[in-house]
Amino acid sequence: MIKKIAIIPYVTNGRNSQVGCDGHFNIFKKKRSTVLKENLQSALASKNQEVEVVIDVNHGDLQFLKREGVNLFLIPEDIASYMDYSGINMEECFQLTHDEYENGNVDRIVKYIEKN
C-alpha cells in the first residue's frame, strides 16, 4: 500500500538544471510541483485515501527519499534519464508525461495508486 509519495521536480540549479525549471517567470504563479502536489492531495482526499505527498528538495536523491519512507516516486519524463535508480525498485517509480507535470493533471496517477 502506498503511504508516501515524492514528486521529483525540475530544478533551477544543480545537476538537472539543463532540463528546465519548476517555477515561472511570473512570481505570483505557483511552482509546477506545488500545483501537482495540491491537485494530487485533493484527488486522493476525495477518494478517502490517506497518502502523504512531499516535494523532493534533495535534487533527485531517490535513495535518501526511500530511507525516509517514500513508496512512490513521481518523476517527469524530461529528467527520468538523469536519475540514479540504484537500490530502487522500478515499480516504485511513476514516470509523468511532460503535459501531466506542466498542467498538474493527476488522473493517471490516481488510477495507478488505486490499482496498487
Side-chain angles (χ1 to χ4, degrees):
M1 176 170 235
I2 297 172
K3 289 291 184 188
K4 191 171 185 180
I5 299 172
I7 299 170
I8 312 299
Y10 299 151
V11 294
T12 54
N13 56 23
R15 64 184 167 139
N16 294 332
S17 62
Q18 68 274 18
V19 185
C21 63
D22 189 35
H24 298 278
F25 289 114
N26 183 346
I27 60 170
F28 299 108
K29 280 186 146 183
K30 293 180 182 179
K31 291 183 176 184
R32 291 170 179 89
S33 57
T34 303
V35 171
L36 184 67
K37 176 184 176 180
E38 290 172 353
N39 291 349
L40 185 57
Q41 286 176 325
S42 175
L44 293 173
S46 71
K47 302 216 182 255
N48 294 324
Q49 299 233 5
E50 294 183 24
V51 178
E52 181 182 0
V53 182
V54 297
I55 298 174
D56 172 39
V57 294
N58 297 312
H59 301 291
D61 187 354
L62 301 183
Q63 293 78 15
F64 174 79
L65 290 168
K66 183 69 178 165
R67 288 190 300 271
E68 292 292 313
V70 172
N71 304 100
L72 181 64
F73 302 97
L74 303 180
I75 304 171
E77 66 184 357
D78 298 331
I79 63 170
S81 61
Y82 298 99
M83 304 306 300
D84 178 15
Y85 297 102
S86 57
I88 302 297
N89 182 351
M90 291 307 289
E91 292 179 4
E92 296 175 330
C93 297
F94 185 88
Q95 192 168 345
L96 298 169
T97 65
H98 181 76
D99 291 333
E100 285 174 328
Y101 188 78
E102 292 290 322
N103 300 321
N105 187 352
V106 297
D107 296 335
R108 198 168 62 100
I109 303 166
V110 172
K111 288 178 187 174
Y112 181 81
I113 292 169
E114 288 175 338
K115 189 172 79 170
N116 292 321

